[in-house]
Amino acid sequence: MRNQFWIFLFSLLLLNLISQVPCEATRPVTMIRPESPIRPEGNTTFLDGTTWCVARPSASQAELQRALDWACGIGRVDCSVIEKHGDCYEPDTIWSHASFAFNAYYQTNGNNRIACYFGGTATLTKTNPSYGTCSYDVSKSEVSSARSLAEYNTRWIWLMCIGLLLFFYRRS
């Protein structure tokens, strides 16, 4: 009986620790639909019109790659559009891909200078960089604020494992 008590306390401690572990997906997932006819609101306070965030032409390829990796990773931009066979894959240049990712982040994160910095590799423009089937326009209604299911999976797996361990221990 005493051993069961300690196992119960240990299980409660584990549950408490697991519930306090921060999940990877803490930001909304950015979903971009390039075919959207809705134009972004843009930052109308400092450039008098709609603005887009693009890669700075003078930035090095290494700096752009680091910033692009951040935008598509931690920045939670949906970069499937700039992957092979995506609407914005061509031209297949780091500048073009970074421009699309930077703008997607900028349009969905407040349209302010801070959201268009990327370590100094980005700049604002009043010229729409969209071309062909590749649209840089992003509607805020297209941004999914739903949490990723992946953040719940780990917690439930741990809870099920602890529950099974307690069940089998109690039967023995």
Side-chain angles (χ1 to χ4, degrees), residues 10-111:
F10 180 73
S11 299
L12 287 178
L13 175 66
L14 278 177
L15 286 172
N16 187 31
L17 290 175
I18 291 169
S19 65
Q20 292 179 3
V21 173
C23 299
E24 289 179 25
T26 56
R27 297 191 38 147
V29 177
T30 305
M31 300 301 294
I32 300 165
R33 295 185 191 118
E35 68 275 2
S36 171
I38 302 170
R39 303 196 58 83
E41 292 177 12
N43 184 345
T44 58
T45 57
F46 94 98
L47 284 180
D48 294 326
T50 301
T51 55
W52 290 266
C53 179
V54 296
R56 195 177 290 273
S58 60
S60 74
Q61 286 196 356
E63 291 173 323
L64 287 175
Q65 186 63 56
R66 278 193 298 276
L68 176 61
D69 291 343
W70 184 91
C72 294
I74 295 171
R76 308 288 292 169
V77 171
D78 176 17
C79 291
S80 63
V81 179
I82 56 175
E83 292 174 356
K84 200 165 199 149
H85 306 296
D87 287 343
C88 298
Y89 178 72
E90 295 293 337
D92 183 15
T93 63
I94 188 70
W95 187 87
S96 176
H97 293 176
S99 291
F100 182 86
F102 293 176
N103 184 66
Y105 183 84
Y106 169 72
Q107 296 291 339
T108 57
N109 286 280
N111 296 49

